[in-house]
Amino acid sequence: MLDTIRRISDEQQLREIVGTPAEQVVIKITDRLNDLTRQFIDASPFVCVATASPDGGLDVSPRGDPAGFVHVLDERTLLMPDRPGNRIADTLRNLLCDDRIALLFLIPGVGDTFRVNGRAIITDDRALLEPCAVGGKVPALGLVISIEQAYTQCPKALTRSELWNPEHHIERSQLPSSGAILRAVHDPRFDAERYDRERAGRYARREGLY
């Protein structure tokens, strides 16, 4: 199918369609935070994290915690705690081979997002991670991120999607459950209902969150 689709193959073709960015769009991209831009990080409870795998693949992973969970160490350095997850550890394994990282910070109800591109190292420095504790639990690992680019993103995408409009929110039950998906891709005999009940119970008890 891809062979039959008309392609844009160079930047000149691309620019003829999308145009060039305005000067104020370009000059807002800096290599550090300031007192204004750091407020987006302090207010954000949710971040999308992009990394690259050694085989050339890409990965985007969500990270969430109480607002301000990504700590600003200085104008060019961030600290992101790593909370318990599914243990596949895509982001961490990728960073062991390629230290490039990209972050997209979202703030509920706010159309503007904040983007950071840079380099990251994985740390288990307990003294550094102790301020990231939640409920007395210090994360075992964290990411120290050196900022190379930092800038706000205009709200057009969130405006078009109406992401924060509750009238467009849907019930989780309208989509396939995790158990149903596991059954479809793994084994038709898999007990999806039991899996979903047990998973919901763990979340209700907040097991494994920290």
Side-chain angles (χ1 to χ4, degrees):
M1 178 180 176
L2 291 179
D3 292 338
T4 65
I5 296 176
R6 174 177 163 80
R7 299 189 181 196
I8 303 301
S9 56
D10 61 53
E11 186 169 352
Q12 181 178 346
Q13 285 180 291
L14 180 66
R15 290 298 176 191
E16 288 174 357
I17 298 172
V18 303
T20 56
E23 181 183 4
Q24 58 265 37
V25 172
V26 176
I27 63 174
K28 73 178 180 181
I29 302 174
T30 70
D31 62 355
R32 67 196 65 210
L33 303 175
N34 58 47
D35 290 341
L36 298 180
T37 56
R38 70 168 291 163
Q39 293 179 41
F40 286 86
I41 295 174
D42 293 339
S44 174
F46 185 85
V47 185
C48 297
V49 182
T51 54
S53 60
D55 63 2
L58 300 172
D59 180 75
V60 177
S61 179
R63 294 289 188 272
D65 241 341
F69 75 100
V70 176
H71 293 229
V72 178
L73 300 183
D74 60 46
E75 65 180 0
R76 298 196 66 179
T77 315
L78 303 175
L79 171 63
M80 177 185 292
D82 189 70
R83 307 297 186 188
N86 58 19
R87 299 179 182 170
I88 296 175
D90 298 292
T91 298
L92 302 179
R93 290 187 297 114
N94 288 347
L95 289 172
L96 291 173
C97 302
D98 187 332
D99 66 352
R100 292 176 299 163
I101 192 168
L103 311 175
L104 176 67
F105 292 85
L106 286 87
I107 304 168
V110 176
D112 294 273
T113 56
F114 192 70
R115 298 173 62 173
V116 170
N117 300 322
R119 308 271 174 172
I121 62 170
I122 305 168
T123 182
D124 64 353
D125 187 323
R126 185 174 177 87
L128 186 64
L129 293 168
E130 280 183 347
C132 300
V134 173
K137 295 185 178 181
V138 179
L141 297 171
L143 302 181
V144 179
I145 299 157
S146 299
I147 297 172
E148 295 180 346
Q149 294 180 316
Y151 54 101
T152 55
Q153 177 81 35
C154 77
K156 288 181 180 178
L158 273 71
T159 299
R160 287 189 289 253
S161 67
E162 295 196 67
L163 182 64
W164 307 128
N165 184 349
E167 294 182 3
H168 292 269
H169 293 177
I170 66 173
E171 294 292 332
R172 177 64 179 87
S173 60
Q174 293 182 242
L175 296 171
S177 71
S178 295
I181 294 170
L182 276 171
R183 180 165 56 196
V185 302
H186 174 60
D187 183 349
R189 297 165 298 177
F190 180 74
D191 192 340
E193 291 74 21
R194 177 180 176 183
Y195 174 86
D196 289 331
R197 281 197 310 273
E198 292 178 350
R199 183 172 184 255
R202 290 193 299 272
Y203 284 176
R205 296 187 297 270
R206 299 183 66 80
E207 291 181 6
L209 291 185
Y210 296 98

